[in-house]
Amino acid sequence: MPRNFIRGTLPKENESHLCRMEPVAKERGTTENGGSSSTREQRSSCSSLKMFLVALSFAYFAKALSGSYMKSTITQLERRFDIPSYLTGVIDGSFEIGNLLVIAFVSYFGAKLHRPKIIAMGCVLMAVGTFIIALPHFLIGRYKFETSIRSSVNSTNNLSPCPARLLSPSSQASGDPLSEAPSTGTGCEGESNLSMWIYVFLGNVLRGIGETPVQPLGISYIDDFAREENAAFYIGCVQTIAVIGPVFGYLLGSLCAKIYVDIGFVNMESITISPGDARWVGAWWLGYLIAGVITLLSAIPFWFLPRSLPIPSDRGPAQCTPERTSFIKDPPLLEHKYQADEPAGFLEMAKDFIPTLKTLLGNPVYFIYLCVTIIQLNSLIGMVTYKPKYIEQHYGQSASKANFLMGTINIPAVALGIFTGGLLMKRLKLSIMGAAKFAFGTSLIGYFLSLFFFVMSCENIKVAGITLPYNRVGGVSYEERSVFSACNSDCVCSGRDWDPVCGENGITYVSPCLAGCQTSTGLGKNTVFSNCSCVVAAGMSSGNLTASVGHCPHRDNCDRVFPYFLALSVITSFIISLGGTPGYMVLIRCIKPQLKSLALGFHTLSTRTLAGIPAPIYFGAVIDTTCLKWGQKRCGGRGACRIYNTTAYRIAYLGLTMGLRTVSFLLCILGFVLLKQHLRREECSAHQVANGGAELEALRKEEVLASNSDQSLQTSTTDYNNTERETRL
């Protein structure tokens, strides 16, 4: 009985036993004919895989650097374009919009094409998009911030910050409409240039399109051609490099935030604000130019890599782990129809797309895993996007320092956690259930530790008329007219400007005018305002003290709490990231090998569509509701927020983050139940497969016996004929 007949008549699941025999025979033949050639091929394959691993790690580093730099410039973009937080969330989410446009098709069709070259083209698109993001700086005018401080040496007259009132006192109750009316001079002609944030949006979309093939095609390439025991470790190394990228991204953001936006084009001595001021804008454009060059360099190695590599002998169908084989049974219609290196027509592949996607989503473990990661990534993306801003607003740190701390303390802890998680999975040889439990346990521990962030609170900064009434009676006020008082009623002041000064009494006033200051001396940052009627010392009914430029230093209690916040942030980041690689391997191991690219791509598509795009937007919208003082655009309209209600900000930001994670844990419980039931069913199927293998061995023995019988019969017949011929002779 020929072997082809056996293969055609036996069940599909029994063919794996034949696959176990064929590679061995093939290897033996190779050894007999020329072992040195096989050795050279293995060495070449190993070197190509290592080169791909290095190239993919560098591409991950480049895309992570530019992505983290985008998040580090959130507050800079808000102030430069005078937009609220939810709109910067739209800009940040535009990266995911780019992924949404093409990722499903790139993941599915790209797996059947030259994967390294597709990744190279993606890196080039990422670089072009990054350069476009920086373009508005070279098209828009110089940055002009609201100030009443004299910065010119030619101004010899001591102008009074408190102009005499020309209106009736009743007009002040409405917020002095004449002083707040939008100007119509030449300064407004350039206001339309602020719509150039659209270029940032479009550039980020293009960057998202270019990033699309890097993750699904790169990870599937490694998992296809690496040895079984090394795949998890290699993927862990790549993801570790991907987390190191944000370290340099935030450090680059910290460096650029210290540099004034128009450096080289303005006289820095005329700049009266410091990096800690709410109006300060750093050189946000400079980092995008640097990130674009790095991304462009990352595309070069992929052009020289092969389309496919020899599959290791231990990666045959029969060598799969028990938990993996339990998930990779092929329905008749989808039986390895296409392989990654097998050419196929476009229409033929497109016709098979919908049935393949239905089969993928019909896997209950994959579907639950998808839902859990979507919810958890909503929490993670929203938290990470606005964490530097939270550090700025809640703990009174500058944007430069907040980015520096994110890059040097928080991100390395995440990188170490991901690497350690991959190493532990390799050492402990975790099964699917073991990896799922490990990821869930680390996430749950991090959840309980994160609850302590709620008690690490700071008081609102003392701002007269906003967080502290002039008469020191009352609480926080969201009303603009609350900044007016009897002490500044003799001055023509705008209630919408933000030009803070620090009084001798330790209280910040919105502007020198609203502080009731009559005179000023000095220039620029050294300006001192005198005869300030609203600056009253404690226990006095009236005052006439001085005020200096800028807001008062932050609260002492925040300086004591902030180190504990950083320490807890590092610990929780490390513990949660420990489950990153095991959780990712659950995704890879619960799907069929030929569906890896599609599964990874659809997972990325879903998480970025339902988490990456909406999370920054609604997190930013919630944060906007806690704003106490909005800036004013030159031509009217609300600009960027200048000061937030610290308590409301903390509750909204942390509460939304923890609430989403709570929902994800409830789904995890359902996922464990489905996974356990599925593994039980597959154990029964494994016994049936084993019985089928025994039948196959019996048939093989029958084939050998039949073959031997035929040979014996032929030998007997030949001997008989020879004997008869000799007798006749």
Side-chain angles (χ1 to χ4, degrees):
M1 187 181 299
R3 177 175 295 183
N4 291 337
F5 177 77
I6 296 176
R7 180 172 296 185
T9 56
L10 291 179
K12 298 291 183 182
E13 57 267 21
N14 292 337
E15 293 184 13
S16 60
H17 295 272
L18 290 177
C19 297
R20 181 181 299 151
M21 304 295 295
E22 290 176 357
V24 177
K26 188 175 181 179
E27 288 177 7
R28 289 176 180 173
T30 304
T31 303
E32 293 173 359
N33 296 332
S36 60
S37 176
S38 176
T39 303
R40 285 195 299 269
E41 289 179 0
Q42 292 177 359
R43 290 178 179 176
S44 176
S45 173
C46 183
S47 61
S48 298
L49 181 62
K50 289 181 178 179
M51 182 179 177
F52 181 85
L53 185 64
V54 173
L56 185 65
S57 299
F58 187 50
Y60 263 68
F61 172 84
K63 75 182 185 68
L65 184 146
S66 57
S68 60
Y69 183 77
M70 164 63 74
K71 295 187 181 300
S72 73
T73 58
I74 287 294
T75 55
Q76 310 297 313
L77 296 176
E78 283 185 20
R79 298 167 185 174
R80 184 63 185 94
F81 299 109
D82 268 330
I83 54 179
S85 295
Y86 83 89
L87 202 49
T88 55
V90 173
I91 295 175
D92 185 71
S94 62
F95 176 85
E96 323 301 342
I97 295 176
N99 273 264
L100 172 64
L101 295 175
V102 296
I103 192 169
F105 301 99
V106 169
S107 301
Y108 184 70
F109 298 113
K112 310 167 194 317
L113 303 173
H114 199 301
R115 284 180 281 186
K117 288 188 177 180
I118 294 178
I119 295 175
M121 290 186 288
C123 291
V124 172
L125 284 178
M126 276 197 294
V128 174
T130 306
F131 290 137
I132 292 177
I133 293 176
L135 183 62
H137 171 75
F138 302 96
L139 302 178
I140 201 172
R142 300 287 172 259
Y143 175 58
K144 296 179 181 180
F145 54 89
E146 47 193 330
T147 182
S148 60
I149 301 173
R150 294 180 295 109
S151 59
S152 175
V153 179
N154 297 328
S155 300
T156 56
N157 297 329
N158 288 338
L159 300 177
S160 173
C162 177
R165 171 160 294 284
L166 302 177
L167 301 174
S168 61
S170 61
S171 66
Q172 186 168 333
S174 62
D176 198 357
L178 290 181
S179 63
E180 295 176 1
S183 58
T184 57
T186 57
C188 283
E189 295 176 359
E191 189 73 15
S192 60
N193 291 332
L194 294 181
S195 62
M196 285 190 176
W197 65 264
I198 296 295
Y199 285 92
V200 181
F201 177 88
L202 295 178
N204 212 27
V205 170
L206 185 60
R207 196 172 66 86
I209 293 175
E211 192 268 349
T212 303
V214 177
Q215 180 179 2
L217 301 187
I219 296 297
S220 64
Y221 193 92
I222 291 176
D223 198 58
D224 280 343
F225 304 118
R227 291 186 177 275
E228 184 76 22
E229 66 273 10
N230 293 333
F233 180 72
Y234 288 161
I235 293 174
C237 290
V238 171
Q239 290 185 335
T240 301
I241 299 297
V243 180
I244 293 177
V247 174
F248 291 88
Y250 279 107
L251 290 179
L252 182 62
S254 175
L255 176 63
C256 294
K258 290 181 180 179
I259 305 173
Y260 187 66
V261 59
D262 293 322
I263 184 71
F265 298 95
V266 297
N267 181 12
M268 293 304 298
E269 294 182 358
S270 65
I271 305 301
T272 59
I273 56 177
S274 62
D277 196 287
R279 296 163 293 173
W280 176 271
V281 176
W284 58 273
W285 52 273
L286 181 60
Y288 287 110
L289 296 180
I290 297 174
V293 172
I294 295 175
T295 306
L296 192 61
L297 293 176
S298 69
I300 297 176
F302 291 103
W303 297 106
F304 305 98
L305 289 166
R307 175 175 179 172
S308 61
L309 299 173
I311 299 177
S313 58
D314 64 342
R315 294 304 297 269
Q319 299 296 329
C320 296
T321 57
E323 55 268 284
R324 190 177 183 188
T325 55
S326 64
F327 285 93
I328 60 175
K329 292 183 180 178
D330 300 322
L333 295 177
L334 298 174
E335 173 210 341
H336 295 279
K337 191 169 184 178
Y338 304 115
Q339 297 297 331
D341 56 352
E342 184 178 302
F346 181 84
L347 294 178
E348 189 177 1
M349 291 188 297
K351 187 183 300 183
D352 195 39
F353 178 74
I354 298 300
T356 306
L357 185 60
K358 288 182 179 180
T359 302
L360 178 65
L361 295 180
N363 187 330
V365 178
Y366 177 81
F367 184 76
I368 291 295
Y369 181 92
L370 190 64
C371 294
V372 170
T373 52
I374 287 174
I375 298 175
Q376 287 191 342
L377 283 177
N378 268 275
S379 173
L380 178 64
I381 293 173
M383 184 269 292
V384 172
T385 301
Y386 294 101
K387 189 169 186 177
K389 183 172 182 177
Y390 178 76
I391 294 175
E392 291 178 48
Q393 299 296 330
H394 195 78
Y395 295 102
Q397 307 297 325
S398 66
S400 176
K401 187 174 182 180
N403 291 329
F404 178 80
L405 293 173
M406 285 286 292
T408 58
I409 297 179
N410 203 279
I411 301 300
V414 175
L416 181 61
I418 291 178
F419 178 79
T420 305
L423 192 61
L424 287 175
M425 185 172 183
K426 180 181 179 181
R427 292 286 179 86
L428 300 177
K429 298 181 179 178
L430 298 176
S431 63
I432 287 183
M433 180 61 76
K437 290 180 179 179
F438 185 85
F440 177 78
T442 55
S443 182
L444 191 62
I445 294 173
Y447 172 82
F448 287 116
L449 289 177
S450 299
L451 294 176
F452 289 98
F453 285 126
F454 283 97
V455 300
M456 297 181 178
S457 60
C458 289
E459 298 177 354
N460 284 303
I461 186 173
K462 296 179 180 179
V463 181
I466 297 180
T467 63
L468 182 70
Y470 284 92
N471 57 6
R472 298 176 182 267
V473 177
V476 175
S477 175
Y478 287 86
E479 298 294 332
E480 290 184 358
R481 61 175 178 267
S482 63
V483 296
F484 296 100
S485 177
C487 61
N488 55 35
S489 59
D490 294 333
C491 303
V492 181
C493 304
S494 171
R496 295 184 178 178
D497 290 339
W498 178 257
D499 189 16
V501 293
C502 179
E504 277 189 88
N505 56 358
I507 298 176
T508 300
Y509 295 84
V510 174
S511 67
C513 183
L514 291 173
C517 300
Q518 302 295 327
T519 59
S520 64
T521 57
L523 295 173
K525 298 178 182 179
N526 298 321
T527 303
V528 177
F529 300 95
S530 306
N531 300 324
C532 302
S533 58
C534 293
V535 182
V536 182
M540 298 178 59
S541 57
S542 61
N544 197 17
L545 303 178
T546 61
S548 57
V549 175
H551 58 77
C552 295
H554 221 264
R555 293 79 67 197
D556 292 336
N557 64 326
C558 271
D559 295 335
R560 292 191 297 267
V561 171
F562 188 56
Y564 296 102
F565 169 82
L566 292 178
L568 183 61
S569 179
V570 169
I571 294 173
T572 54
S573 298
F574 174 77
I575 293 176
I576 293 175
S577 60
L578 278 175
T581 301
Y584 201 76
M585 294 308 297
V586 172
L587 170 64
I588 295 178
R589 293 293 181 250
C590 73
I591 52 180
K592 306 175 183 67
Q594 73 272 21
L595 297 180
K596 270 184 298 192
S597 293
L598 178 61
L600 292 172
F602 190 79
H603 174 266
T604 306
L605 167 68
S606 302
T607 53
R608 287 178 172 172
T609 303
L610 302 177
I613 295 176
I617 298 175
Y618 67 76
F619 263 81
V622 171
I623 291 173
D624 285 338
T625 61
T626 66
C627 182
L628 293 173
K629 176 64 178 169
W630 291 96
Q632 176 76 3
K633 293 184 179 180
R634 293 195 303 272
C635 296
R638 193 173 71 176
C641 184
R642 302 305 187 190
I643 183 174
Y644 291 87
N645 183 347
T646 300
T647 303
Y649 193 139
R650 182 181 72 256
I651 294 174
Y653 174 73
L654 297 178
L656 189 55
T657 300
M658 302 302 290
L660 290 170
R661 291 173 64 184
T662 302
V663 175
S664 70
F665 289 142
L666 298 177
L667 282 179
C668 281
I669 297 174
L670 176 61
F672 277 117
V673 173
L674 292 176
L675 181 59
K676 192 173 182 179
Q677 292 177 351
H678 190 84
L679 290 176
R680 285 180 181 175
R681 290 194 300 266
E682 296 304 329
E683 286 179 2
C684 297
S685 300
H687 290 299
Q688 296 177 359
V689 172
N691 295 333
E695 295 177 1
L696 177 62
E697 292 296 332
L699 290 173
R700 289 182 57 81
K701 289 180 180 180
E702 292 179 3
E703 180 186 9
V704 173
L705 292 175
S707 177
N708 293 336
S709 300
D710 292 340
Q711 292 177 1
S712 299
L713 180 60
Q714 292 175 2
T715 302
S716 301
T717 304
T718 303
D719 294 341
Y720 174 78
N721 292 334
N722 292 335
T723 303
E724 184 179 5
R725 183 179 303 169
E726 291 175 358
T727 303
R728 288 179 180 177
L729 291 175

